[in-house]
Amino acid sequence: AQSVTQLGSHVSVSEGALVLLRCNYSSSVPPYLFWYVQYPNQGLQLLLKYTSAATLVKGINGFEAEFKKSETSFHLTKPSAHMSDAAEYFCAVSGGTDSWGKFQFGAGTQVVVTP
Amino acid sequence: DADVTQTPRNRITKTGKRIMLECSQTKGHDRMYWYRQDPGLGLRLIYYSFDVKDINKGEISDGYSVSRQAQAKFSLSLESAIPNQTALYFCATSDLGGQSDGTQYFGPGTRLTVL
Protein backbone atom coordinates (compact mmCIF):
# COMPACT_ATOMS: atom_id res chain seq x y z
CA ALA A 1 0.00 0.00 0.00
CA GLN A 2 1.11 3.54 -0.56
CA SER A 3 0.13 6.82 1.03
CA VAL A 4 1.06 10.49 1.01
CA THR A 5 1.05 13.05 3.79
CA GLN A 6 1.29 16.75 3.09
CA LEU A 7 2.12 18.75 6.20
CA GLY A 8 0.10 21.94 6.41
CA SER A 9 -3.16 22.45 4.58
CA HIS A 10 -2.48 26.18 4.26
CA VAL A 11 0.82 28.02 3.88
CA SER A 12 1.22 31.79 3.76
CA VAL A 13 4.43 33.24 2.36
CA SER A 14 5.59 36.75 1.60
CA GLU A 15 6.43 37.69 -1.95
CA GLY A 16 10.13 37.02 -2.44
CA ALA A 17 10.38 34.56 0.44
CA LEU A 18 11.19 30.86 0.28
CA VAL A 19 8.35 28.50 -0.51
CA LEU A 20 8.62 25.10 1.22
CA LEU A 21 5.85 22.52 0.90
CA ARG A 22 6.34 19.23 2.68
CA CYS A 23 5.43 15.80 1.38
CA ASN A 24 6.15 12.45 3.00
CA TYR A 25 5.22 9.15 1.46
CA SER A 26 5.04 5.51 2.29
CA SER A 27 5.52 2.84 -0.31
CA SER A 28 6.55 -0.79 -0.24
CA VAL A 29 8.51 -0.38 -3.45
CA PRO A 30 10.62 2.40 -4.96
CA PRO A 31 8.08 5.07 -5.76
CA TYR A 32 7.48 7.51 -8.52
CA LEU A 33 6.64 10.89 -7.01
CA PHE A 34 4.86 13.86 -8.50
CA TRP A 35 3.93 17.42 -7.62
CA TYR A 36 0.94 19.02 -9.29
CA VAL A 37 -0.37 22.58 -9.08
CA GLN A 38 -4.00 23.63 -9.33
CA TYR A 39 -4.78 27.26 -10.09
CA PRO A 40 -8.29 28.52 -9.30
CA ASN A 41 -10.97 27.01 -11.53
CA GLN A 42 -8.46 24.89 -13.41
CA GLY A 43 -7.34 21.30 -13.59
CA LEU A 44 -4.10 19.90 -12.22
CA GLN A 45 -0.89 20.75 -14.00
CA LEU A 46 2.30 18.75 -13.58
CA LEU A 47 5.05 20.74 -11.81
CA LEU A 48 7.73 18.06 -11.62
CA LYS A 49 8.29 14.36 -11.07
CA TYR A 50 10.82 11.92 -9.64
CA THR A 51 11.14 8.66 -11.54
CA SER A 52 14.32 7.08 -10.12
CA ALA A 53 16.81 9.22 -11.98
CA ALA A 54 18.37 12.32 -10.36
CA THR A 55 17.20 12.86 -6.78
CA LEU A 56 17.05 16.64 -7.22
CA VAL A 57 14.34 17.39 -9.72
CA LYS A 58 13.72 20.74 -11.36
CA GLY A 59 10.29 21.67 -12.62
CA ILE A 60 8.42 24.52 -14.17
CA ASN A 61 8.10 28.04 -12.74
CA GLY A 62 11.31 27.78 -10.70
CA PHE A 63 10.18 24.94 -8.46
CA GLU A 64 12.35 22.00 -7.48
CA ALA A 65 12.07 19.00 -5.20
CA GLU A 66 14.51 16.56 -3.66
CA PHE A 67 13.82 12.87 -3.20
CA LYS A 68 15.24 11.66 0.12
CA LYS A 69 14.77 7.95 0.52
CA SER A 70 16.06 7.85 4.10
CA GLU A 71 13.46 10.43 5.13
CA THR A 72 10.74 9.17 2.75
CA SER A 73 10.25 12.76 1.69
CA PHE A 74 9.80 14.73 -1.49
CA HIS A 75 9.55 18.36 -0.37
CA LEU A 76 8.84 21.10 -2.91
CA THR A 77 10.75 24.39 -2.79
CA LYS A 78 11.03 27.66 -4.63
CA PRO A 79 13.64 30.23 -3.54
CA SER A 80 11.53 33.32 -4.13
CA ALA A 81 7.74 33.35 -4.12
CA HIS A 82 5.80 35.25 -6.72
CA MET A 83 2.21 36.38 -6.51
CA SER A 84 1.40 34.01 -9.36
CA ASP A 85 2.41 31.04 -7.17
CA ALA A 86 -0.83 31.34 -5.21
CA ALA A 87 -2.53 28.01 -5.87
CA GLU A 88 -3.15 24.59 -4.37
CA TYR A 89 -0.35 22.05 -4.57
CA PHE A 90 -0.72 18.28 -4.51
CA CYS A 91 1.88 15.61 -3.95
CA ALA A 92 1.20 12.15 -5.41
CA VAL A 93 2.89 8.75 -5.27
CA SER A 94 2.71 5.87 -7.71
CA GLY A 95 4.55 2.61 -7.91
CA GLY A 96 4.67 -1.12 -7.46
CA THR A 97 3.27 -3.86 -9.62
CA ASP A 98 -0.02 -3.85 -7.71
CA SER A 99 -0.50 -0.13 -8.06
CA TRP A 100 1.34 0.76 -11.21
CA GLY A 101 -0.43 3.59 -12.94
CA LYS A 102 -2.54 4.41 -9.89
CA PHE A 103 -1.83 7.56 -7.93
CA GLN A 104 -2.33 8.23 -4.26
CA PHE A 105 -2.73 11.97 -3.68
CA GLY A 106 -2.04 14.02 -0.61
CA ALA A 107 -4.76 16.27 0.77
CA GLY A 108 -3.21 19.34 -0.80
CA THR A 109 -1.57 22.54 0.47
CA GLN A 110 -3.11 25.90 -0.32
CA VAL A 111 -0.46 28.57 -0.82
CA VAL A 112 -1.24 32.22 -0.22
CA VAL A 113 1.33 34.83 -1.27
CA THR A 114 1.21 38.19 0.50
CA PRO A 115 2.75 41.39 -0.87
CA ASP B 1 -7.01 22.59 -28.29
CA ALA B 2 -6.94 20.85 -24.91
CA ASP B 3 -5.70 17.27 -24.83
CA VAL B 4 -8.23 16.19 -22.20
CA THR B 5 -11.70 17.71 -22.31
CA GLN B 6 -14.63 17.31 -19.97
CA THR B 7 -18.28 18.11 -20.49
CA PRO B 8 -20.16 19.74 -18.95
CA ARG B 9 -17.91 22.11 -17.01
CA ASN B 10 -20.63 22.94 -14.55
CA ARG B 11 -23.85 21.13 -13.68
CA ILE B 12 -26.55 21.67 -11.11
CA THR B 13 -29.02 18.87 -10.63
CA LYS B 14 -31.54 17.55 -8.14
CA THR B 15 -31.44 14.57 -5.84
CA GLY B 16 -32.43 11.37 -7.63
CA LYS B 17 -31.55 12.51 -11.13
CA ARG B 18 -29.26 10.52 -13.40
CA ILE B 19 -26.19 12.43 -14.48
CA MET B 20 -23.45 11.61 -16.99
CA LEU B 21 -20.08 13.33 -17.10
CA GLU B 22 -18.05 12.86 -20.23
CA CYS B 23 -14.33 12.83 -20.87
CA SER B 24 -12.51 12.80 -24.18
CA GLN B 25 -8.78 12.77 -24.90
CA THR B 26 -6.61 13.28 -27.95
CA LYS B 27 -3.37 12.14 -26.32
CA GLY B 28 -3.70 8.56 -27.58
CA HIS B 29 -3.32 7.20 -24.05
CA ASP B 30 -4.71 3.83 -23.07
CA ARG B 31 -5.33 4.58 -19.42
CA MET B 32 -8.11 6.82 -18.14
CA TYR B 33 -9.23 7.75 -14.64
CA TRP B 34 -12.06 9.50 -12.82
CA TYR B 35 -11.41 11.35 -9.57
CA ARG B 36 -13.45 13.52 -7.27
CA GLN B 37 -11.97 16.41 -5.34
CA ASP B 38 -13.34 17.58 -2.01
CA PRO B 39 -11.81 20.33 0.14
CA GLY B 40 -9.24 18.92 2.55
CA LEU B 41 -9.39 15.44 1.04
CA GLY B 42 -7.33 15.84 -2.11
CA LEU B 43 -8.28 13.71 -5.10
CA ARG B 44 -9.83 10.31 -4.62
CA LEU B 45 -10.02 7.69 -7.35
CA ILE B 46 -13.51 6.61 -8.39
CA TYR B 47 -12.84 4.31 -11.36
CA TYR B 48 -10.01 3.62 -13.75
CA SER B 49 -9.60 1.86 -17.06
CA PHE B 50 -6.32 0.54 -18.44
CA ASP B 51 -7.81 -0.23 -21.85
CA VAL B 52 -11.21 -0.38 -23.54
CA LYS B 53 -12.02 -3.83 -22.10
CA ASP B 54 -10.66 -3.14 -18.64
CA ILE B 55 -12.67 -1.30 -15.96
CA ASN B 56 -11.68 -1.20 -12.31
CA LYS B 57 -13.16 0.25 -9.16
CA GLY B 58 -11.22 2.84 -7.23
CA GLU B 59 -11.44 3.65 -3.56
CA ILE B 60 -14.86 5.39 -3.71
CA SER B 61 -16.88 3.72 -6.49
CA ASP B 62 -20.18 3.29 -4.63
CA GLY B 63 -22.94 5.30 -6.30
CA TYR B 64 -20.99 5.66 -9.55
CA SER B 65 -20.63 3.69 -12.77
CA VAL B 66 -18.47 4.19 -15.86
CA SER B 67 -18.38 3.34 -19.52
CA ARG B 68 -15.31 3.20 -21.76
CA GLN B 69 -16.86 3.74 -25.17
CA ALA B 70 -13.56 3.96 -27.03
CA GLN B 71 -9.89 4.49 -26.31
CA ALA B 72 -10.53 8.22 -26.30
CA LYS B 73 -13.78 8.34 -24.31
CA PHE B 74 -14.55 7.54 -20.70
CA SER B 75 -17.86 8.51 -19.09
CA LEU B 76 -18.87 8.67 -15.45
CA SER B 77 -22.50 8.22 -14.43
CA LEU B 78 -24.34 8.93 -11.23
CA GLU B 79 -27.44 6.73 -11.47
CA SER B 80 -29.31 8.56 -8.72
CA ALA B 81 -27.49 11.66 -7.56
CA ILE B 82 -27.36 12.57 -3.88
CA PRO B 83 -26.16 15.80 -2.23
CA ASN B 84 -22.92 14.31 -0.88
CA GLN B 85 -21.86 13.71 -4.48
CA THR B 86 -21.50 17.47 -4.83
CA ALA B 87 -17.84 17.86 -5.74
CA LEU B 88 -15.32 18.73 -8.44
CA TYR B 89 -14.76 15.79 -10.79
CA PHE B 90 -11.62 15.28 -12.83
CA CYS B 91 -10.77 12.97 -15.67
CA ALA B 92 -7.14 12.03 -16.27
CA THR B 93 -5.15 9.95 -18.74
CA SER B 94 -1.76 8.27 -18.76
CA ASP B 95 0.34 6.29 -21.18
CA LEU B 96 0.88 2.56 -21.03
CA GLY B 97 4.07 2.42 -23.08
CA GLY B 98 7.31 0.85 -21.90
CA GLN B 99 9.02 4.18 -21.47
CA SER B 100 6.08 5.68 -19.64
CA ASP B 101 6.54 6.88 -16.08
CA GLY B 102 2.80 6.93 -15.50
CA THR B 103 2.42 10.71 -15.48
CA GLN B 104 -1.26 11.57 -15.42
CA TYR B 105 -2.70 14.44 -17.46
CA PHE B 106 -5.84 16.08 -16.20
CA GLY B 107 -8.89 17.65 -17.74
CA PRO B 108 -10.24 21.00 -16.55
CA GLY B 109 -12.82 19.46 -14.23
CA THR B 110 -16.60 19.38 -13.90
CA ARG B 111 -18.18 21.13 -10.96
CA LEU B 112 -21.28 19.16 -9.96
CA THR B 113 -23.84 20.42 -7.47
CA VAL B 114 -26.62 18.13 -6.29
CA LEU B 115 -29.48 19.94 -4.56
Side-chain angles (χ1 to χ4, degrees), chain A residues 2-4 91-94 102-106, chain B residues 35 43-44 59:
Chain A
Q2 54 194 19
S3 65
V4 174
C91 182
V93 63
S94 176
K102 291 168 59 180
F103 280 20
Q104 186 70 41
F105 282 89
Chain B
Y35 292 91
L43 277 75
R44 292 180 293 167
E59 59 181 297

Side-chain angles (χ1 to χ4, degrees), chain B residues 21-113:
Chain B
L21 309 183
E22 298 185 334
C23 176
S24 294
Q25 53 113 348
T26 58
K27 298 187 76 66
H29 289 168
D30 289 307
R31 299 180 172 186
M32 298 187 73
Y33 310 80
W34 275 104
Y35 292 91
R36 66 176 280 175
Q37 182 183 13
D38 299 278
L41 297 179
L43 277 75
R44 292 180 293 167
L45 184 62
I46 306 172
Y47 270 95
Y48 62 102
S49 170
F50 281 0
D51 66 42
V52 175
K53 297 179 181 179
D54 176 76
I55 302 289
N56 303 279
K57 293 182 177 180
E59 59 181 297
I60 54 163
S61 59
D62 288 349
Y64 301 95
S65 62
V66 292
S67 173
R68 185 81 184 266
Q69 300 95 325
Q71 185 202 41
K73 296 184 182 295
F74 193 37
S75 300
L76 176 72
S77 293
L78 289 68
E79 296 302 325
S80 180
I82 57 177
N84 77 0
Q85 292 177 313
T86 293
L88 189 54
Y89 290 84
F90 286 105
C91 174
T93 73
S94 69
D95 197 6
L96 179 61
Q99 298 302 314
S100 170
D101 56 24
T103 298
Q104 293 189 13
Y105 299 88
F106 286 80
T110 294
R111 186 168 297 281
L112 177 65
T113 303

Side-chain angles (χ1 to χ4, degrees), chain A residues 50-86:
Chain A
Y50 167 75
T51 57
S52 74
T55 56
L56 181 62
V57 180
K58 294 186 184 297
I60 61 172
N61 302 338
F63 284 93
E64 64 180 35
E66 186 172 9
F67 172 68
K68 292 186 176 181
K69 183 178 179 181
S70 61
E71 299 177 8
T72 61
S73 69
F74 190 56
H75 301 332
L76 181 70
T77 60
K78 181 174 180 178
S80 177
H82 191 272
M83 297 298 289
S84 61
D85 294 326

